[in-house]
Amino acid sequence: MKYAYYPGCSASGTSKECEESLQATMRHLGVELTQLEDWNCCGAAMATGVSYLLSLALPARNLALAERAESDLVTGCSRCYMNLIRAVHYTENNASVREKVNVLLAETGVQYSGKARLRHILDVIINDVGLDAVAEKVKRPLGGLRVAPYYGCCQGMWTYAQFDSVEDPHCFDELLGTLGAQVVDYPLKTACCGGTLSMSKRSVGAKLIGDLLAAAGDADCIVTACPLCMFNLNSFQKEAGRARSTHFDIPILFLTQIMGMAFGLPEKALGLQRNTVPVDSLYRKMAVGAAVSSGAGSASGPG
Amino acid sequence: MNGFEPQIVAFTCNWCSYAAADLAGTSRIHYPSNVRIIRVMCSGMIDPIYVLRSFEAGFDGVLLAGCHIGDCHYISGNKRAEERTAKLRRLLHILGLEDERLKLEWISAAEGGRFAETIKGYVDQLKQLGPSPFRKEATA
Amino acid sequence: MAEDKNDVKIGVYVCHCGSNIAGTVDVEQVTASAQERGSVAVARNYKFMCSEPGQALIKQDIEELGLNRVVVAACSPRMHEPTFRRVVEEGGLNPYQLHICNIREQCSWVHKDGATDKAEALISAAISRAYYLEPLESREVPVAPAVLVVGGGIAGIQAALKVADAGRKVYLVEREPSIGGHMSQIDKTFPTLDCSACILTPRMAAVKSHPNIELMTYSEVVDVQGYVGNFKATIRRKPRYVDESLCTGCGICQEKCPWKAESEFDCGLGQRKAIYTPFPQAVPNVPVIDPEHCVYILKDGKCGACLKFCERGAVDFSQTEKIVDVEVGAIIMATGYDLMDPSEIARLGYGKFPNVITSLQFERLCNATGPTGGHIVLNGQEPKSVGIIHCVGSRDRKYHSYCSRVCCMYALKFAHLIKEKIEDASVYQFYIDMRCYGKGFEEFFQREGSEGVTFIRGKPAQVTDLALSEEEQGKLVVVCENTLMGRQLRVPVDMVVLCPAMEARSDARDVARLFNLTQSADGFLQERHAKLEPVATANDGVFVIGCAQGPKDIPDTVAQALAGAAETLSLIDRGSVELQAATATVDETLCQGCGRCEEICVFHAPTLSSDGTMIPVSSINEALCKGCGVCAVTCPTGAISIRHFTRQQILAELEALSGVPV
Amino acid sequence: MGAQPKTLEGAWTPQAPGHTPSSTDLVGNDFSLCYQCGLCTGSCRTAYAMKYTPRQVMNLLQLGLVKEAVASGAGLLCTACYSCTFRCPRGVAVTDLMAAIQRLSLAEKHADPHIRRWYQAFTDTVARHGRFHEVEFLVRYYAPNPFRLREQVSVGLTLLRKGKITLRPPKMRSQKAIAAMFRKAAQIEGRP
């Protein structure tokens, strides 16, 4: 399986661990990702607030590059995915918009015709790799872990529209189930994390994140499929806790991190040391779980 | 392009496409007046000779419209129409007429909007294409 | 028919249709140019051609000017062709010497510019076609004096009774083990609050005992052949495994049967036995055995409790399905509706939270014959607060764009019943608009207001069990905007009742094909004309009534049922129908007897016949011919043509349209 | 920024008649189709903090009171999660309309200067490097009163320590071209 790969800014910056774990895990699954040459920022949550055309042209440029590379474009970031697929839909549904966007792209020497096919990493894992192939790779089942999948908003609306139920997605649950984890269902699993409000309107951001963490209840960790959510849920737990006059300390993992853990890949390769909220506790619980399930109580600790 | 107004003749089946055209009317959905509709009972009733004569007569496009496959009031008349149209295309090709000049559409009685859209689209398409090669001789 | 074409005298009549046509089309100009055409004896325009004076105008001209062709340029032929055919006939012409030119639906209503030019071209074409029109003799065929009613809900019941009372034979076919339909599941009916069973069950009994009604429950129509007046329907009668003639409906078998299954009739809220009647007042009061759950059938011969205990020996496992053919003159479609499955809208929690139920399930809870004996109790709990959510899947382009028309009113009814049965219960109505348009509806709405029901204008976004406060603990929380305050609202309740859309039957498409009907965009069976022919369909002799045609309340359904009965009776009592005369005809001198027509016709109208002396030639059985024209186009020698749609006529029309001789 | 039609232009892309929206097709309709059911507000996580709820914003647009909608700053609280757009029973592109309001309000005097700077800082950073650069972004954002950088310090330091952000800005080949694209967009949309 070969794809052109779009990391996006946060995955290569504030959420490096996502990028690292994604590379490691995909390699382990025999998925070949070639980084999209000369990619640019998709506009994040901000471009729409500045310019309608840029909010389409920025992602469209990356699609155009993929088109030139004649390959499916894969991304592991839901926000990027949303901006990219939004560009796909809007240009394909409105000729005059498509025209204007291409006028902008001309400045960078590319044109977008709508051929490039866009994929979310979760889509690739579930539908191309397949859960059976994933299951085969599982070395350390997550038996001991209660994991809360965080589908995230833009994903629910856009990603899952492509291959899952939008209002009630379940593919993430299935994936975690395959890894042997106990999946925790909670009401806000498709609610928005607040995006950049966490920094621009801190009070609101903190509330949204707080409600979310609280809703996940007694889960051992929350797993997300978006580097931006990853950053929010990790970085603002203190603030969120203060807002609700409580204290949060829930490890937040990227989906390829927890996959890597189950595959028994080394912590460093998964960038686990970068996680703001430490994850060691999880390895302990995994060990216990393994002991319980396999009777024999000798599962190695972290590292 | 130089104000060329294509002339279209449409053969529509009484039960679906003609009814769709009526629905477009009752819903007041406007479309270009370039089209002239001839009502037949079923798309399966459309004789290839009608199409050939239409081009002879200088029409730039011919639209054949019937019920969706499976919904034919006469069970399978539209299937017959489909088969014939395929054959007819080959003939038109030999005559040097572009494929677009013969259009086959399934439009149900409930699709008034779609009927209007089809005509709009077809008019634009034919404008791009320009006058039928037969038109000059015809109008000469 | 030898007619000297020089004698052709055509009258052209351009209708203003008030300003509908005259507003966009220059009627004077088109009349003038029509007048120019050869063989046009007279061209006139008038405000309303279809009106009495307009009709008189045509008749008068036919008599005084000796017209032998008439062109009416007005609305669509699908609207007034029958009207004007009658007119020319009364004027002394053959009804087929009329041609209608559609300059309203397909011209004045859809064009701003060029409408006049187009009208001129269309009329000119109509004149050319009229020139070649020929008088046709339409044949009369006798009508089978019986009616097939498909579906035994309130619509089918009412229609069947009316037709039967008029002394006509009725075959009433119902898919379920009992007639009664959705109405039999309902507790009370709005706005009068009279008990549904009290008004329905006597009618059901009347059907059973009516000498003119042959009731076939647990049966389905599997094939329909023929044409108006002469349909042949094939009905599949599923095995009941109980002999209707022997069973007394004592119920001992159901008592003794040890095997249980979910009750469809109670929408899964209750249970029934493997041998069961859906409800106590079922008609016929004869149980059926459900082969999915009967152990005697599943594990051949084990059990058989019903066999043992039935004193009449009515239980008969040797039964197999029967195929019955009936011949009828008309068919009434009363196939009803499905209730949308709200689990499609996951955010409302149906199927996830046991205390979120549908309106029909709530009816069963309220109903004295229901699983709780009429007590509003769910999972052992009596709700102290209930949220009723309107427009679930209705008025929503993601599901159904249309309004289901009954939800507002039964939601009000629910509120009333809750207040009646549970004192100090609080009821919240989550609505977008209250639509109380019917007789006595608004008054009912007003009364509700005084009963302390809370109305919240807002379409709920979510039903959740996530408690954000003490009072929300252990409750279902309805999240919405109170749009009249412009504030988000969280309403904790014990029970949520959804009002799902009424949608077309899941097999509506197959039914439409089986009976050769059309569906409207929303999937329901389509009537021929929304206003003037509300129960007729595209297929002559087949009528559609009740919710099969679209969402309706009981009064509207019954009104349509009676309309359907009237239509079928007027058809049958005429004794004979005119078959449309525009059929295929063979020119025997051209026919080479290749038999292609015989192969291609799905109605088996053409047959090769030979008197032995010469090659066989094709001949058309006009009773079977529907005039689709497939054979005419297939015929390699052009021997077959379709009356009223001859090549000559159509090419003449085409030529005139192009303005170029071909 | 100019009059309503221009600034709202492209906020939504109306669908061809007869086109039924599917779950994969979130290109929505004009606000005139809104029938004020409030499903958008009910689905919105930040509406509680808005002066006007999303539904009320749609209503203001229907009434032509764009300025008032803009002044409310509701658009700035939209996280673009698209729940409203996806669920809207009339297929209105609420999210894009909120974005349009957002664009307008950023251009207005009474826009919260912090928020305006927030967006400006982002645009300038991306326009310069073609990609996002956290450090430069924060520096630009807090330029007027560097002391407020404190707000971000705890988070910022963690990120640095964990090696997630660097002081070195990202490099890509077509940086200049991207900048040109930004200028072109401003020119087409008539922004300063």
Side-chain angles (χ1 to χ4, degrees), chain C residues 64-122:
Chain C
E64 291 176 2
L65 308 172
L67 302 180
N68 46 25
R69 306 280 197 286
V70 171
V71 170
V72 178
C75 52
S76 169
R78 302 174 73 257
M79 182 87 183
H80 274 319
E81 192 168 58
T83 315
F84 289 107
R85 279 198 174 153
R86 202 198 68 246
V87 171
V88 295
E89 195 166 17
E90 285 168 2
L93 289 184
N94 177 288
Y96 288 86
Q97 296 195 299
L98 162 82
H99 188 72
I100 302 267
C101 176
N102 183 341
I103 60 167
R104 190 179 77 171
E105 284 83 348
Q106 298 181 6
C107 186
S108 70
W109 274 351
V110 286
H111 306 312
K112 284 194 191 70
D113 326 321
T116 301
D117 295 353
K118 182 172 177 179
E120 226 168 324
L122 292 174

Side-chain angles (χ1 to χ4, degrees), chain C residues 329-368:
Chain C
I331 300 175
I332 296 179
M333 305 298 294
T335 48
Y337 71 94
D338 282 340
L339 197 70
M340 177 183 154
D341 173 3
S343 57
E344 274 182 59
I345 312 177
R347 60 176 184 268
L348 295 180
Y350 181 75
K352 184 169 180 216
F353 305 123
N355 285 18
V356 179
I357 60 173
T358 69
S359 49
L360 215 48
Q361 288 176 312
F362 186 81
E363 293 282 359
R364 296 313 299 150
L365 284 187
C366 293
N367 196 305

Side-chain angles (χ1 to χ4, degrees), chain C residues 347 391 394-398 431-433 457-462 479-488, chain D residues 15 19 21-22 29 33 35-39 41-44 47-48 53 55-56 86-91:
Chain C
R347 60 176 184 268
C391 297
S394 304
R395 304 186 64 197
D396 185 334
R397 53 191 288 159
K398 284 210 168 335
Y431 70 100
I432 305 174
D433 299 300
R457 190 191 178 282
K459 189 175 171 68
Q462 204 186 11
V479 183
C480 74
E481 177 187 18
N482 178 341
T483 61
L484 300 182
M485 278 168 72
R487 199 179 303 163
Q488 281 180 320
Chain D
Q15 284 148 344
H19 169 95
S22 74
N29 288 320
L33 266 87
Y35 66 178
Q36 295 289 305
C37 70
L39 181 52
T41 308
S43 310
C44 183
Y48 79 93
T53 65
R55 174 193 57 84
Q56 287 173 315
F86 180 79
R87 290 174 176 174
C88 177
R90 286 293 186 92

Side-chain angles (χ1 to χ4, degrees), chain A residues 122 151-152 155-156 158-166 169 171-172 225:
Chain A
L122 198 48
Y151 287 83
Q155 283 223 321
W158 297 81
T159 315
Y160 303 130
Q162 315 298 316
F163 66 92
D164 195 353
S165 151
V166 180
C171 60
F172 215 152

Side-chain angles (χ1 to χ4, degrees), chain C residues 129-151:
Chain C
R129 183 167 185 168
Y131 185 85
Y132 293 103
L133 286 177
E134 287 168 358
L136 300 181
E137 288 322 312
S138 45
R139 290 136 301 107
E140 302 248 321
V141 296
V143 173
V147 176
L148 169 66
V149 178
V150 186

